[in-house]
Amino acid sequence: MTTVLDAIIEGVREDLTSRMGRTSLETIRAQAASRPPALDAHHALSGGRDDAAGVRIIAEVKRSSPSKGALADIPNPAALAAAYQAGGASIISVLTESRRFGGSLTDLECVRGAVDIPVLRKDFMVEEYQFHEARAYGADLVLLIVAALDDVQLREFLILTHELGMNALVEAHTVEEIERAAAVGARIVGVNVRNLKTLDVNVDHYSAMAHHLPQEVVRVAESGVAGPDQVLDYARQGADAVLVGEALVKHGNPTAAVRSFRSASLAKEAQ
């Protein structure tokens, strides 16, 4: 049976084929090589794991989603990213998938030019070309979705990511996927509480998965954040960082929203 994830990847491959027809792999590799070195996203998310700093926020530039449709009109992604950084975000996530998320590589490039913290290319990475492309447009971090890759691809893509100087957020949803991420040496592991095959969300899913995460990895809770209380909940369950999209783009004051999420996470020690 075809899943939502399968359908998304089919579209990603079609769009990728079109881009590869316009710009060769050799050219995109050269463009990637000409960029300044990638920023250290692993350090940005761990930072010595100082509890006094609270959880790190990965703040997302996200116009729409397959589950919710249009979320926000974002005419100036650079300004939004700068507002996130002003609020204390550690990383800016930029959706670059166009069909269902309304993103683009142009958004990524604009955001990279507007902030001096690491930038995540959030997309469905299924071919080598995309990794050089990510670096060419300024990404410091890429997303590797375990459910979308076999073990050979996962390992080879993680190696390629590191060879290009970037880090990878390796996303899992099940215990088996967490184990697969650990087996290839992932240093940053996210648990998405949204099942990408069905788009169902269960905010309690992080709690169920948290104790399966290796202690040495940076642990990221993804999705399901409606407000500060959920950030605090994830922090109490051991998350080092929380990825937030919809709640930020719909807030109206992104700087204040990021600040409130950071502040909320500090309460895990006080209560």
Side-chain angles (χ1 to χ4, degrees), residues 256-269:
V258 173
R259 283 182 181 145
S260 71
F261 292 166
R262 289 294 307 279
S263 297
S265 72
L266 297 174
K268 73 171 184 174
E269 298 297 325

Side-chain angles (χ1 to χ4, degrees), residues 67-91:
S67 59
K68 297 289 185 69
L71 298 174
D73 181 26
I74 305 175
N76 191 340
L80 178 59
Y84 287 156
Q85 181 174 350
S90 295
I91 286 179

Side-chain angles (χ1 to χ4, degrees), residues 17 32 64 100 105 149 189 251-252:
T17 297
S64 62
R100 292 171 173 83
L105 287 162
L149 305 168
V189 180
H251 186 275

Side-chain angles (χ1 to χ4, degrees), residues 38-102:
L39 301 178
D40 189 345
H42 183 273
H43 180 75
L45 290 178
S46 59
R49 290 186 171 172
D50 178 5
D51 283 339
V55 299
R56 273 61 177 179
I57 301 298
I58 303 174
E60 199 152 79
V61 176
K62 182 178 184 179
R63 291 188 175 87
S64 62
S65 76
S67 59
K68 297 289 185 69
L71 298 174
D73 181 26
I74 305 175
N76 191 340
L80 178 59
Y84 287 156
Q85 181 174 350
S90 295
I91 286 179
I92 308 299
S93 170
V94 183
L95 268 300
T96 59
E97 195 278 340
S98 61
R99 298 190 182 202
R100 292 171 173 83
F101 293 91

